[in-house]
């Protein structure tokens, strides 16, 4: 069952995200703190915060927020993004993450959002209709407009409404965490060992 997240789910969902991302992209993870901070941030879109249950147990979650698009034509507007998407390790590889993504993208379309952005694997997100942002004139602030940035992608939900969405995109600041705040937040969860593993995107010298 896919349903909206409720206040009573918050701690369970944060622990779920911690289990899902632990030692995947860095020693430990910060996705659980991002979720915790996101819910109190103006960029959060609670109407698109969903959980997936199996036998009354929450095994997956997805959250949405609004980033900032500085328009080439002048001014700026909000632009929808999602993440983190978390699935408990023992349920990964079974298609549950895809179910959450497809379900919520359809809800976002019904709610009138013109487009959604994501940074991630083109091989994975391409299956949901995401394309390179540059194809639609939307560029991440950290990319060079003269070069292809395949990991920053856009899915157009409404061609007409998205026609004027061309410019430079910035993630909400809440998606960046502070190491001291993360360490303090982690103390409220069961101890887990941080490990440096091949393929991690970030391996600070003081982690491990």
């Amino acid at each position: 069952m896919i349903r909206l997240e409720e206040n009573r789910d918050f701690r369970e969902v944060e622990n779920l995200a911690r289990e899902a991302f632990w030692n995947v992209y860095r020693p430990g993870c910060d996705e659980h703190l991002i979720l915790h901070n996101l819910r109190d941030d103006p960029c959060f879109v609670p109407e698109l915060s969903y959980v997936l249950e199996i036998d009354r147990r929450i095994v997956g979650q997805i959250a949405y927020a609004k980033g900032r698009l500085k328009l080439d034509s002048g001014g700026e507007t909000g632009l929808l993004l999602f993440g983190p998407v978390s699935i408990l390790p023992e349920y990964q590889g079974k298609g549950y993450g895809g179910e959450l993504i497809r379900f919520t993208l359809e809800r976002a379309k019904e709610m009138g959002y013109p487009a959604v952005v994501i940074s991630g694997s083109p091989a994975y997100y391409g299956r949901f209709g995401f394309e390179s942002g540059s194809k639609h004139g939307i560029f991440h602030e950290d990319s060079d407009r003269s070069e292809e940035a395949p990991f920053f992608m856009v899915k157009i939900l409404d061609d007409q409404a998205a026609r004027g969405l061309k410019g430079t995109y910035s993630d909400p600041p809440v998606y960046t965490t502070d190491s001291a705040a993360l360490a303090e937040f982690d103390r409220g969860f069961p101890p887990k060992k941080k490990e440096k593993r091949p393929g991690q995107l970030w391996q600070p010298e003081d982690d491990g």
Side-chain angles (χ1 to χ4, degrees), residues 1-84:
M1 181 177 73
I2 296 176
R3 63 168 176 82
L4 280 169
E5 181 188 55
E6 300 176 8
N7 290 7
R8 61 186 174 90
D9 302 322
F10 287 177
R11 193 63 171 182
E12 182 177 357
V13 167
E14 289 165 5
N15 190 64
L16 184 161
R18 187 172 184 258
E19 292 293 323
F21 287 100
W22 194 260
N23 292 331
V24 174
Y25 297 118
R26 57 182 284 166
C29 70
D30 65 354
E31 282 78 5
H32 55 314
L33 178 56
I34 289 172
L35 266 178
H36 180 78
N37 293 338
L38 181 61
R39 298 192 190 99
D40 292 324
D41 195 275
C43 74
F44 182 49
V45 183
E47 298 86 359
L48 287 170
S49 183
Y50 278 86
V51 298
L52 186 149
E53 287 185 334
I54 296 178
D55 297 328
R56 299 186 179 181
R57 180 190 185 192
I58 297 176
V59 304
Q61 67 80 218
I62 189 169
Y64 279 73
K66 289 181 183 178
R68 180 173 61 90
L69 183 66
K70 185 177 180 181
L71 298 167
D72 290 342
S73 59
E76 63 180 57
T77 188
L79 193 55
L80 196 65
L81 72 147
F82 67 78

Side-chain angles (χ1 to χ4, degrees), residues 98-177:
E99 286 188 35
L100 275 170
I101 292 170
R102 289 188 180 93
F103 178 88
T104 52
L105 285 175
E106 186 59 33
R107 287 288 298 118
K109 183 177 181 178
E110 292 169 358
M111 292 170 67
Y113 287 100
V116 182
V117 299
I118 189 69
S119 294
S121 166
Y124 181 73
Y125 289 108
R127 72 185 69 176
F128 305 106
F130 282 86
E131 302 174 300
S132 173
S134 60
K135 178 179 178 179
H136 299 280
I138 301 175
F139 302 86
H140 195 279
E141 65 175 348
D142 293 332
S143 67
D144 185 337
R145 285 194 174 207
S146 65
E147 299 178 0
E148 182 70 15
F151 293 97
F152 177 67
M153 292 163 284
V154 177
K155 178 177 174 65
I156 302 300
L157 301 177
D158 183 325
D159 291 326
Q160 183 68 27
R163 187 167 296 173
L165 296 180
K166 299 183 186 303
T168 302
Y169 169 81
S170 303
D171 284 320
V174 72
Y175 278 82
T176 300
T177 58

